[in-house]
Amino acid sequence: LHHIVPVTAARRVLESGEYRSILLSGGSDSHGRLPLMEHLAFIEWVHEQGIRINAHVGLQSDEDVRALSPYFDKVSLDYVWDDGTIHDVYHLQRSGADYLHTARGWVDAFWAAGGSEALRSAKQRVNLHLTIGLKGGVVVGEYAAIDSLIAFQPASLVFLVLIPTEGTVYGNVSVVPIDAVESVFAYARLKLRATDFVLGCMHPRVAGYSEQLEHLAGQYQFRGVVGVKSSAEDAEQVEECCVFYK
């Protein structure tokens, strides 16, 4: 988190007028909730400036979702379905059903606040993030997570790939094999045909790996790729969070 500008200093930075959007992020508490309500005054101020907000929201209560939804243009939610991964990686006593409930809650809040806004438009503001290999670089629960979304049919799904990070319990694990990543992509495309796929900013930057991911993203009709210079002639460069791809 040391790369992130703290809320206490962010207003001064944003007053320069140089930014059209921000990512509001941080650490979560023992319930998986980011302390967003504690910074509601700042969030309201950013919204009043016309600066778009993408917020990493975590598992907010239904009440807080309704209170925050008028100020967020997009929300990003890590989506985990496997209870063992939730317990072992995030150390939370929560379940996959809690993540699906939260996703539905944000869609309902945006839909209600929008009045005439179509359900599809409300869903486009909720961007689920699925990390392949989250549990130590091994694919555990990713297929079940995709299955759990079939009825929900998200408008977009951002794929991440675990980065073995020095100083963490998974610092020495192997990079997720590219064929395992492709298998998840293929399964997701089969089950979620109408969903926009995006390759997000978290994926290993090792020799050749990013290029293989870009190739797979093209093969499975991804709408966007972060951190890889696209070779496509008609590719559009977007200097914002990946969820603002449209």
Side-chain angles (χ1 to χ4, degrees), residues 149-209:
L149 293 172
I150 293 174
F152 178 59
Q153 284 294 310
S156 70
L157 182 61
V158 179
F159 284 97
L160 309 173
V161 183
L162 180 76
I163 299 176
T165 304
E166 186 178 357
T168 70
V169 293
Y170 294 148
N172 296 318
V173 302
S174 299
V175 172
V176 183
I178 200 71
D179 59 341
V181 174
E182 180 177 8
S183 181
V184 174
F185 286 175
Y187 189 78
R189 180 46 72 209
L190 178 67
K191 297 295 184 177
L192 304 172
R193 295 184 182 276
T195 299
D196 287 343
F197 291 168
V198 175
L199 179 63
C201 57
M202 192 182 88
H203 52 81
R205 305 307 206 269
V206 296
Y209 197 87

Side-chain angles (χ1 to χ4, degrees), residues 1-245:
L1 299 180
H2 65 277
H3 296 296
I4 298 178
V5 177
V7 168
T8 53
R11 179 164 178 165
R12 183 172 63 255
V13 173
L14 295 175
E15 284 175 341
S16 68
E18 298 177 8
Y19 300 92
R20 57 186 178 183
S21 66
I22 66 167
L23 170 63
L24 188 61
S25 188
S28 64
D29 62 18
S30 60
H31 301 289
R33 181 191 72 95
L34 271 73
L36 298 174
M37 288 298 294
E38 287 86 330
H39 301 288
L40 185 57
F42 169 76
I43 291 169
E44 290 175 335
W45 178 84
V46 175
H47 179 71
E48 290 169 357
Q49 307 312 303
I51 299 172
R52 298 192 296 175
I53 301 175
N54 170 33
H56 283 164
V57 290
L59 298 173
Q60 302 290 324
S61 69
D62 293 345
E63 180 181 3
D64 288 352
V65 167
R66 289 189 291 270
L68 291 163
S69 61
Y71 307 106
F72 294 156
D73 299 274
K74 301 276 189 176
V75 296
S76 293
L77 174 67
D78 288 338
Y79 190 77
V80 191
W81 187 253
D82 179 66
D83 290 351
T85 300
I86 296 168
H87 300 160
D88 295 346
V89 177
Y90 290 155
H91 307 294
L92 299 176
Q93 298 304 311
R94 305 298 294 261
S95 69
D98 291 323
Y99 286 85
L100 182 56
H101 175 83
T102 298
R104 290 185 182 278
W106 281 105
V107 170
D108 290 345
F110 287 138
W111 194 13
S116 61
E117 185 177 57
L119 176 59
R120 175 74 180 180
S121 296
K123 283 188 173 183
Q124 286 173 342
R125 297 171 66 180
V126 180
N127 298 269
L128 305 182
H129 289 51
L130 179 62
T131 301
I132 300 174
L134 178 60
K135 193 172 183 179
V138 180
V139 175
V140 179
E142 284 84 336
Y143 297 103
I146 292 165
D147 286 341
S148 74
L149 293 172
I150 293 174
F152 178 59
Q153 284 294 310
S156 70
L157 182 61
V158 179
F159 284 97
L160 309 173
V161 183
L162 180 76
I163 299 176
T165 304
E166 186 178 357
T168 70
V169 293
Y170 294 148
N172 296 318
V173 302
S174 299
V175 172
V176 183
I178 200 71
D179 59 341
V181 174
E182 180 177 8
S183 181
V184 174
F185 286 175
Y187 189 78
R189 180 46 72 209
L190 178 67
K191 297 295 184 177
L192 304 172
R193 295 184 182 276
T195 299
D196 287 343
F197 291 168
V198 175
L199 179 63
C201 57
M202 192 182 88
H203 52 81
R205 305 307 206 269
V206 296
Y209 197 87
S210 292
E211 290 74 17
Q212 292 180 80
L213 287 177
E214 182 198 5
H215 173 75
L216 292 177
Q219 182 177 339
Y220 293 101
Q221 299 90 48
F222 278 47
R223 287 293 302 270
V225 178
V226 178
V228 178
K229 185 176 178 57
S230 178
S231 57
E233 293 182 0
D234 59 348
E236 178 185 359
Q237 189 77 13
V238 178
E239 298 292 340
E240 295 181 90
C241 283
C242 64
V243 299
F244 288 123
Y245 64 91

